Amino acid sequence: MSKTVPVRLEVNGVEHQLDVEPRVLLVHALRDRLGLTGTHVGCDTSNCGACTVHLNGRAVKSCTVLAVQADGAAVTTIEGMGNEQQLHPLQEAFWNDHGLQCGYCTPGMIMAAAGLLAENPNPTESEVRHALEGNLCRCTGYHNIVKAVLDAAAVGSGVTAQPEVKA
Amino acid sequence: MIPAEFDYLAPDSLQEAIQALADGGEDAKLLAGGHSLLPLMKLRLATPALLVDLRKVPGLHGIERENGSWRIGAMTTHSELEHSEQLGVVARAAGTIADPQVRNRGTIGGSLAHGDPASDLPAVMLITEGSVTLQGPGGQRVVAANELFQDYMETAIEPTEVLTEVRFPVLEGWGFGYQKFNRRSEDWAMVAVCAVIQQTGDICEDVRVGLTHMGSVPLRATAVEEALRGQSLNAENIAKAAQEAAQGTSPPADLNASEEYKRHLARVLSRRALEEAAGLS
């Protein structure tokens, strides 16, 4: 094992100090060291976007970032978006619009969509589709994913929506 | 996939980075955004013994206008370029690179130093007639874009040099076009064509056309340029000039496209890029 390097990460608002080998990818540090398994490894080749997280507020593919490159940075994962009591508007919209089937791509889709809405709170359908070009879904055909992002935008992704009561 | 073991340094100054490269020898590599290098390392196609990360080196970021030129720090991301419309064809091409997540990490300096002939920015640097600044143990030198790309993924950058900035003239008043063809939007270009035109009335005063993935290095379509310079910028003349786009090229065939298909793409995309640059489309 090559010698480890200290890395300081603020993940979902919580400070962490880790010692990692330089070759450890950010996605593995999040999943294996911090137990944040909501971020998925899909293709592992920066194509599919399942591993998307925010690094200092920008959506990135965490399978193509070394944990050491994120030293000193703020990371947001799907666990930082909402919880079962209070879903994030994007999570709420994916639920309402059936924006997922197997759910494997969903954390990455939501983080990529959140990246878009942070920059452009009122995107057109075409802008949503372009913004999700780096995220692959093999179940839904994208239609309901795009609908969910547009609906979340309509609610206002910056404010947390009141969760609807499910019958 | 996990890269092979390597040592890692993130120096605080350019001088330390250059020293680390020199000390590391031929197995040391610079790391910028990592979106060309890390995929190669994960596939074990590259196994550097030392990575020298430029993320803490000051002064490598940002877009500034200095007199008649743009100065862009090497660590400026594709996303920053994409959102700087004043950069014209450079912003347009940067916005087509891969996908938003990749554009948030990939950098102009990393892309040019990697020198992949299928990547978007090298041909664009040829038509802006830009240059890169290299800093090494012996000091600083400037290399013009047309001397930077020497062969497939081979550049004029010495192993101990750091690409610190990119400069290109402000093409004030020039129209531009960018046309890229790929199967999926996040793929590399099968072929891409960039064009800039300076026109007075409908007369083409000057024109530059660049070809991506039509050879082992990015190319200028000089035959197209010669055919159009001084001509009236109408659809007929543009279509005629664009027929010369594949002249003198030897495009690499791959799974997506044969040589002949790429030549066809070069002609069609040249016509579209020129029409766009001339304001006809």
Side-chain angles (χ1 to χ4, degrees):
Chain A
M1 195 170 99
S2 59
K3 73 173 192 253
T4 60
V5 178
V7 172
R8 193 173 54 78
L9 294 176
E10 186 199 309
V11 183
N12 302 328
V14 180
E15 284 275 345
H16 295 274
Q17 184 83 43
L18 300 174
D19 285 306
V20 297
E21 273 191 88
R23 62 175 171 164
V24 170
L25 301 167
L26 179 60
V27 68
H28 295 309
L30 294 170
R31 288 176 57 86
D32 303 343
R33 299 290 296 276
L34 302 180
L36 296 170
T37 53
T39 303
H40 294 165
V41 179
C43 69
D44 208 359
T45 55
S46 55
N47 279 279
C48 81
C51 65
T52 301
V53 301
H54 289 193
L55 192 60
N56 291 332
R58 309 301 298 253
V60 304
K61 292 180 170 178
S62 62
C63 79
T64 311
V65 178
L66 299 169
V68 289
Q69 287 179 288
D71 180 35
V75 179
T76 308
T77 69
I78 188 69
E79 290 90 344
M81 297 296 279
N83 56 47
E84 285 173 27
Q85 286 73 46
Q86 187 77 60
L87 294 177
H88 186 278
L90 277 163
Q91 293 170 316
E92 189 74 24
F94 269 68
W95 183 7
N96 289 335
D97 291 331
H98 307 286
L100 61 143
Q101 288 180 26
C102 85
Y104 202 86
C105 72
T106 313
M109 285 285 178
I110 287 180
M111 298 314 291
L116 165 70
L117 296 183
E119 265 180 30
N120 178 359
N122 294 300
T124 62
E125 181 188 330
S126 163
E127 286 169 336
V128 172
R129 289 185 183 277
H130 278 296
L132 297 179
E133 279 169 356
N135 293 74
L136 302 182
C137 171
R138 302 288 77 161
C139 302
T140 66
Y142 302 100
H143 183 82
N144 286 349
I145 292 174
V146 173
K147 187 166 182 284
V149 177
L150 289 169
D151 283 350
V155 171
S157 65
V159 292
T160 307
Q162 290 300 313
E164 282 177 45
V165 177
K166 299 288 166 190
Chain B
M1 296 177 294
I2 295 167
E5 288 182 3
F6 56 87
D7 289 324
Y8 173 86
L9 289 174
D12 294 309
S13 74
L14 187 59
Q15 285 318 310
E16 286 172 76
I18 292 166
Q19 191 59 51
L21 271 186
D23 294 346
E26 63 178 16
D27 290 330
K29 286 286 278 182
L30 282 176
L31 177 65
H35 274 53
S36 298
L37 182 57
L38 294 180
L40 290 178
M41 289 173 63
K42 288 171 71 178
L43 293 168
R44 312 270 172 131
L45 293 171
T47 54
L50 171 68
L51 283 192
V52 180
D53 190 344
L54 291 173
R55 69 187 164 90
K56 291 184 186 169
V57 174
L60 297 183
H61 230 98
I63 298 167
E64 289 162 25
R65 188 170 168 163
E66 282 179 9
N67 303 317
S69 289
W70 292 110
R71 178 208 165 274
I72 299 181
M75 292 286 277
T76 304
T77 63
H78 302 317
S79 172
E80 291 166 285
L81 299 175
E82 172 190 6
H83 292 109
S84 303
E85 277 179 31
Q86 65 275 22
L87 299 178
V89 67
V90 174
R92 165 70 73 75
T96 73
I97 295 171
D99 58 55
Q101 292 97 312
V102 171
R103 295 197 289 273
N104 279 337
R105 292 292 294 171
T107 66
I108 186 171
S111 178
L112 296 178
H114 190 57
D116 186 334
S119 63
D120 297 86
L121 296 178
V124 172
M125 292 314 298
L126 285 187
I127 65 161
T128 59
E129 299 190 344
S131 63
V132 296
T133 303
L134 306 175
Q135 302 262 8
Q140 175 180 314
R141 67 189 179 113
V142 173
V143 174
N146 65 359
E147 291 168 359
L148 180 62
F149 308 105
Q150 301 201 324
D151 204 342
Y152 180 73
M153 287 194 189
E154 274 186 39
T155 67
I157 306 169
E158 295 293 332
T160 53
E161 286 180 321
V162 180
L163 193 167
T164 56
E165 65 181 29
V166 178
R167 283 175 188 267
F168 55 91
V170 177
L171 297 173
E172 202 98 69
W174 291 59
F176 64 86
Y178 192 67
Q179 295 286 328
K180 174 176 176 175
F181 199 82
N182 48 18
R183 288 175 58 237
R184 302 173 306 175
S185 59
E186 63 180 354
D187 283 345
W188 274 270
M190 267 186 225
V191 174
V193 177
C194 49
V196 288
I197 292 179
Q198 188 182 41
Q199 65 185 98
T200 305
D202 75 335
I203 299 299
C204 174
E205 299 287 345
D206 203 359
V207 56
R208 303 174 193 161
V209 179
L211 305 174
T212 291
H213 217 181
M214 286 296 289
S216 59
V217 292
L219 300 168
R220 281 278 287 268
T222 49
V224 177
E225 297 174 1
E226 280 161 23
L228 200 57
R229 205 170 280 126
Q231 302 294 312
S232 180
L233 284 168
N234 55 45
E236 193 185 337
N237 284 344
I238 285 175
K240 207 170 138 200
Q243 284 303 311
E244 309 297 326
Q247 207 185 98
T249 64
S250 49
D254 56 35
L255 283 175
N256 291 317
S258 64
E259 283 180 40
E260 195 38 54
Y261 183 49
K262 284 188 165 190
R263 290 195 180 95
H264 168 74
L265 283 174
R267 291 188 281 263
V268 172
L269 298 175
S270 289
R271 175 174 55 75
R272 292 179 187 167
L274 287 165
E275 285 175 349
E276 193 185 349
L280 296 181
S281 58

